[in-house]
Each structure stands twice: as structure tokens, then as C-alpha cells.
Amino acid sequence: MTTESTVPKRITPTTQPVPDTVPVGWSGSAYTAARGPQIAAEVAAHLDNVLPALESLRSQAARLSEWGAELAHRLLSGQRLLAAGNGGSAAEAQHLTAELVGRFDAERAPFSAISLHAETSALTALSNDYGYEEVFARQVRAHGRAGDVLILLSTSGRSPNLLNAVRAASERGITTWALTGAGPNPLADACDQAITVDAIAANAQEGHLIAVHAVCRAFDAEVARRTAPGTIGDGAQP
């Protein structure tokens, strides 16, 4: 671990200045009744755009079910889930791992699931030493084992650090799943399987939470089936 970054700073070009303060002249009383209908229309449009995301997921319900059942099989067999994302997608990925380590609905055993972006000391050290594009790939090489599952969440499907994680997983025999926004996109194409949510970015991300819960629903149902009293091999039946 170094104390000083050796990676050149990357400057993102922009055509407009990025504000970092409240604009001069801003007033706390800027909201007026006259603006009310316009703001309400923007909210209504946002809510209307949830429907395409939901319909997109509904058309892929079979794959969501398959992911939950397959994840139950892997984790009951001693494998683990690794998950990663950036920004809001990181929060969604962490939501999934929390449901598996904790519980979704009914009481059950805890399962191994790690959000790579939540390892803050490792994340900042790796970013400092190797660049942000390698922060997940190196953790995959450290924690991943053949038979594990790596799930990557991204609304754009273009994040270099996630694409590098897929390559690292392939080297280790780790199954890769992508949960992305509209396809086709590089991440969905690179992973073994993908669920693409055909909606604008914000609504696609909301769809990801629905997808996470759907996978958890299927996961819990399959765990319950495999661990029910009287099952062959104490829950290890195929």
C-alpha cells in the first residue's frame, strides 16, 4: 500500500462548467405555486417511466427465477456471491448481499455474499495503487473461487472497472451475471448471462431493485425446498 498515488490524474472533458456552489441569487422561496403544475408533471413522467422497466423485467421473469434457484444451489454447496457496482448501482448490489447474509422474508441460514465496493480500505488502497479501473478485478482474484458467482450492476453497462472484473472472473472459473440498463451493452455482452432493463437510467436502476428482490424471492423458495425435512442429503438434493 502506498501513501501517494502514482496514477496520473484523469481530467474528464466537459463543455460546461460544473457548479460546486449554490448559484448566486438563489432564494429559499424560489418555489412558487405557479411552478407547481410543471414540477408535478415531471414527477408524473418519472413515475410513468417505471412501467417500461417493470414490463422489461416481466419479460425476463424466467431468468430471474433461474438466477435465484442457481444461486441457492451454489451457496448451499459452499460457494459465495461477489457483487459490485458504482454509485447507485453499488447501493443496489449491497442491498442484494445484505439480503443473503441477513434474510429476505422468513428465517433461514446466512449465506456468503460480499459487496466488493463496501471494502473501503481495500477500495481506496487499490484505487490509489492500481487505478480505479482495477479496484474490483483485484478483489475478484483475491476472493473468488471456481464455482462462485459474480454479479455486476450498471445502468450504462460500460464501466471499465466492471468489465475488468469480468475478465478476472473468467480467469478463475467464476460465473458472471450482469444486471444493466438497456442493451446491448459491453457488460451484458461480456458476462455469461445478463438481464437488461429497457428504460432510462434512473428507472432502470429502480428496476434493478425489483430484480434483486425477485431473485431473493426465488432464492428463498429454492433454499426452503432443498432444506425441507425429508429431502435427500439434508438439503443437498439436485
Side-chain angles (χ1 to χ4, degrees), residues 28-29 54 59 64-65 81 103 115 131 146 167 172 182 187 190 210 215-217 221:
S29 60
L54 182 59
S59 70
L64 290 167
S65 300
L81 175 72
R103 67 176 185 183
S115 288
R167 286 189 278 272
R172 295 291 193 271
L187 184 61
I210 297 173
V215 168
C216 289
R217 184 75 64 192

Side-chain angles (χ1 to χ4, degrees), residues 19 41 55 61 103 110 140 145 154 173 175 193 204 219 224 227-228 234:
E55 288 305 312
R103 67 176 185 183
V140 168
R145 303 292 182 269
S154 171
T175 298
Q193 293 186 4
F219 177 88
T227 58
D234 294 328

Side-chain angles (χ1 to χ4, degrees), residues 65-217:
S65 300
E66 290 167 4
W67 280 13
E70 179 63 21
L71 199 57
H73 170 70
R74 302 272 185 117
L75 271 57
L76 280 167
S77 299
Q79 264 69 56
R80 67 163 52 116
L81 175 72
L82 303 177
N86 295 291
S89 294
E92 302 284 18
Q94 198 164 341
H95 190 126
L96 173 59
T97 58
E99 301 282 25
L100 296 175
V101 177
R103 67 176 185 183
F104 181 55
D105 278 333
E107 289 293 345
R108 55 156 168 73
F111 292 93
S112 181
I114 301 172
S115 288
L116 303 180
H117 52 271
E119 296 285 340
T120 54
S121 292
L123 191 77
T124 52
L126 296 176
S127 179
N128 191 58
D129 293 350
Y130 300 98
Y132 194 66
E133 293 181 0
E134 292 295 321
V135 293
F136 299 137
R138 193 165 177 88
Q139 290 188 78
V140 168
R141 294 186 180 100
H143 300 303
R145 303 292 182 269
D148 289 349
V149 175
L150 171 67
I151 185 167
L152 302 167
L153 285 76
S154 171
T155 55
S156 72
R158 299 180 182 279
S159 301
N161 56 7
L162 300 183
L163 292 168
N164 287 342
V166 175
R167 286 189 278 272
S170 298
E171 296 168 3
R172 295 291 193 271
I174 298 168
T175 298
T176 53
W177 295 343
L179 187 55
T180 74
N185 61 70
L187 184 61
D189 292 342
C191 286
D192 295 317
Q193 293 186 4
I195 290 174
T196 60
V197 181
D198 190 11
I200 61 175
N203 298 110
Q205 196 163 84
E206 291 161 348
H208 289 177
L209 178 56
I210 297 173
V212 162
H213 281 170
V215 168
C216 289
R217 184 75 64 192

Side-chain angles (χ1 to χ4, degrees), residues 13-53:
T14 179
T15 57
Q16 297 179 339
V18 179
D20 58 3
T21 60
V22 175
V24 176
W26 179 87
S27 169
S29 60
Y31 177 85
T32 65
R35 287 255 309 148
Q38 179 184 344
I39 294 173
E42 291 172 358
V43 170
H46 176 84
L47 296 176
D48 287 342
N49 284 329
V50 174
L51 299 178

